[in-house]
Amino acid sequence: DTGVSQNPRHKITKRGQNVTFRCDPISEHNRLYWYRQTLGQGPEFLTYFQNEAQLEKSRLLSDRFSAERPKGSFSTLEIQRTEQGDSAMYLCASSPLGGAQETQYFGPGTRLLVL
Amino acid sequence: GQSLEQPSEVTAVEGAIVQINCTYQTSGFYGLSWYQQHDGGAPTFLSYNALDGLEETGRFSSFLSRSDSYGYLLLQELQMKDSASYFCAVRNTGGFKTIFGAGTRLFVKA
């Protein structure tokens, strides 16, 4: 069991640039979630995939954010035209289909700093 | 709307018992979850209450009362390594979005 992995672990970019993060869930997990977390706050839901289908997306998510899970395995989160307010930790989590969705296994996160 | 409220900080001594409360407002939900997060680390699942009552897992127990929209996490025999942030979370019925509270920072002192 290798757990959920995320790459890169850290990303520094300039405002206006595009960034892409990758998440590799636990291999048998069909459910995949993306969250954003800022200092002193809990994870904020961004989007949810069941296999390759994106079933829910936060209304707080602007159209600069897009996520994919093309083969139902790894997922990518892209932020276009980054803004300083996008600076945060981006967390990915997975859980197995058939288990409680509340039991989510988180990756180590990608820390984004937008200068 | 949906919201969860937790105390921002709790301090306790090693070996003691501490209770972290969580009150929530939501129209309907599946149950209450608890996660632990150490500084610089990822959240780690601790427990889940789908039904009213107490769930025990080692030194940690979690309680839910749907009628009171309230739950708590109980940590016994506190150890220094329990110093972390603890988050309660709910998922509304009919959706996949999980909502986390702002977290309670627990400081365990020697």
Side-chain angles (χ1 to χ4, degrees):
Chain A
D1 180 9
T2 58
V4 178
S5 61
Q6 293 187 245
N7 288 289
R9 294 292 307 276
H10 303 272
K11 179 71 176 178
I12 300 174
T13 191
K14 292 183 179 179
R15 190 174 50 186
Q17 297 295 304
N18 299 344
V19 295
T20 300
F21 308 142
R22 176 177 170 129
C23 170
D24 287 88
I26 294 172
S27 59
E28 64 268 24
H29 287 188
N30 304 83
R31 298 170 173 156
L32 187 145
Y33 313 77
W34 282 99
Y35 294 89
R36 176 172 61 190
Q37 186 176 28
T38 54
L39 197 63
Q41 297 298 315
E44 177 189 17
F45 174 85
L46 295 179
T47 191
Y48 166 75
F49 288 87
Q50 187 165 300
N51 298 311
E52 66 277 6
Q54 187 175 22
L55 298 185
E56 189 158 357
K57 185 176 176 180
S58 172
R59 284 173 287 182
L60 300 175
L61 210 60
S62 78
D63 56 7
R64 296 185 298 106
F65 288 72
S66 63
E68 293 183 341
R69 195 183 183 196
K71 297 181 180 179
S73 55
F74 74 92
S75 175
T76 59
L77 176 69
E78 181 183 18
I79 309 174
Q80 295 182 326
R81 306 180 303 281
T82 53
E83 301 172 356
Q84 288 183 326
D86 296 332
S87 295
M89 175 74 85
Y90 289 83
L91 293 163
C92 174
S94 69
S95 66
L97 198 62
Q101 287 199 43
E102 285 66 23
T103 310
Q104 298 179 25
Y105 298 83
F106 282 80
T110 295
R111 185 171 295 282
L112 172 66
L113 178 60
V114 181
L115 302 176
Chain B
Q2 308 147 4
S3 66
L4 298 98
E5 290 193 11
Q6 314 177 227
S8 58
E9 284 185 11
V10 173
T11 300
V13 297
E14 206 172 8
I17 300 172
V18 71
Q19 178 174 313
I20 299 174
N21 299 320
C22 174
T23 58
Y24 57 86
Q25 287 188 326
T26 181
S27 55
F29 78 116
Y30 291 102
L32 187 69
S33 304
W34 289 92
Y35 287 81
Q36 177 192 61
Q37 186 176 32
H38 288 97
D39 284 349
T44 304
F45 173 80
L46 290 177
S47 68
Y48 170 60
N49 292 69
L51 304 174
D52 283 4
L54 192 68
E55 293 280 343
E56 297 182 65
T57 309
R59 295 188 295 115
F60 294 1
S61 303
S62 57
F63 172 83
L64 175 64
S65 169
R66 287 175 176 263
S67 59
D68 295 323
S69 297
Y70 164 76
Y72 66 73
L73 180 69
L74 191 73
L75 297 85
Q76 303 182 72
E77 301 172 15
L78 281 174
Q79 302 175 9
M80 298 297 287
K81 68 178 182 179
D82 297 329
S83 293
S85 294
Y86 292 84
F87 299 92
C88 57
V90 298
R91 182 171 62 93
N92 278 9
T93 52
F96 303 98
K97 177 181 179 180
T98 302
I99 301 165
F100 285 79
T104 298
R105 194 167 176 86
L106 171 64
F107 297 94
V108 179
K109 302 192 298 185

